[in-house]
Amino acid sequence: MDINQISGAVLAGGFSSRMGQNKAELLLNGERLIERQVKKLKSLGIEDLILSGYNGKLEGARTIPDVYPHRGPLSGVHACLLQANKKACLFVSVDVPLVPEQTLLTLCRAHEGGATVLCHGEKTEPLIAVYDCCLAPEAEKLLLTGKPAMMRFLEAIPHKEVLFEGDERLLANCNTPEEFVSVEEILSFKSINN
């Protein structure tokens, strides 16, 4: 799909309870994680930028609240699909700060409708994906059932997977201080070896 038909959303919700502080505000190489992800979306040429679950403001992006708060990442995805100005929306979670721009671009280019989701090894990454905005009612159905898991959403909609062929460490999630230190180490190792 053409990038002009795609909005971009950074999912920054949750309580960051395992991290002990707001993950979006963590500094990686002097840059907040939220800024890092927004910068990637901007560099792809995405103009409609949405922040989900974020309490601050960021120039060039709009912050939107969940329609159904405290129901996990699907509530953020749902709200973004409702508010996006384009036909589809590219999602990236704030806590996967090393995901390459090229990977996000590959997802956008591969998207032909429904959902296009990144996968690697045996793992599917429903929060690094492109979803058609017309899928919002399907997300709402699940949110109203009380079983709003992202994988349930994927099972309920037409989707395809795009295999990540890079270094899987670049998809490292940082939910705890230890995981964040590990991400910092991966970043410095990559910088030294590039």
Side-chain angles (χ1 to χ4, degrees):
M1 180 175 272
D2 189 278
I3 207 82
N4 295 326
Q5 295 180 280
I6 299 175
S7 295
V10 180
L11 296 166
F15 298 110
S16 298
S17 50
R18 287 184 287 163
M19 183 62 76
Q21 60 181 300
N22 186 346
K23 289 185 283 189
E25 301 297 331
L26 290 172
L27 291 177
L28 189 61
N29 265 13
E31 186 174 42
R32 292 182 302 152
L33 296 192
I34 190 85
E35 292 170 323
R36 189 177 177 88
Q37 300 300 58
V38 166
K39 192 170 19 171
K40 286 177 195 174
L41 297 176
K42 281 183 179 175
S43 75
L44 296 179
I46 294 174
E47 294 174 358
D48 181 37
L49 298 167
I50 304 168
L51 306 177
S52 168
Y54 183 62
N55 291 327
K57 291 190 187 301
L58 212 54
E59 193 178 335
R62 54 200 170 97
T63 304
I64 59 160
D66 291 352
V67 178
Y68 301 102
H70 312 304
R71 298 199 197 175
L74 185 58
S75 59
V77 168
H78 168 257
C80 292
L81 294 177
L82 288 175
Q83 295 288 330
N85 292 332
K86 305 290 182 172
K87 184 179 176 183
C89 193
L90 167 65
F91 288 88
V92 63
S93 179
V94 77
D95 57 12
V96 284
L98 304 181
V99 63
E101 285 170 29
Q102 186 58 48
T103 299
L104 301 176
L105 183 60
T106 298
L107 279 173
C108 292
R109 288 184 174 155
H111 186 69
E112 296 170 334
T116 305
V117 186
L118 192 68
C119 69
H120 56 104
E122 299 294 310
K123 195 165 183 194
T124 302
E125 298 284 355
L127 304 183
I128 308 173
V130 182
Y131 294 97
D132 279 352
C133 293
C134 63
L135 295 170
E138 199 61 53
E140 185 170 40
K141 259 190 241 174
L142 284 171
L143 288 163
L144 293 173
T145 64
K147 297 178 182 170
M150 283 303 302
M151 292 310 288
R152 270 181 191 265
F153 179 50
L154 266 190
E155 288 163 10
I157 60 175
H159 68 278
K160 71 176 180 183
E161 295 182 345
V162 170
L163 183 63
F164 177 72
E165 295 178 349
D167 184 340
E168 287 192 47
R169 292 177 303 167
L170 296 177
L171 302 181
N173 214 282
C174 50
N175 286 309
T176 65
E178 296 76 21
E179 287 173 350
F180 185 65
V181 167
S182 177
V183 162
E184 288 179 308
E185 288 168 356
I186 293 164
L187 183 61
S188 61
F189 178 78
K190 289 303 247 181
S191 301
I192 290 164
N193 291 286
N194 279 344

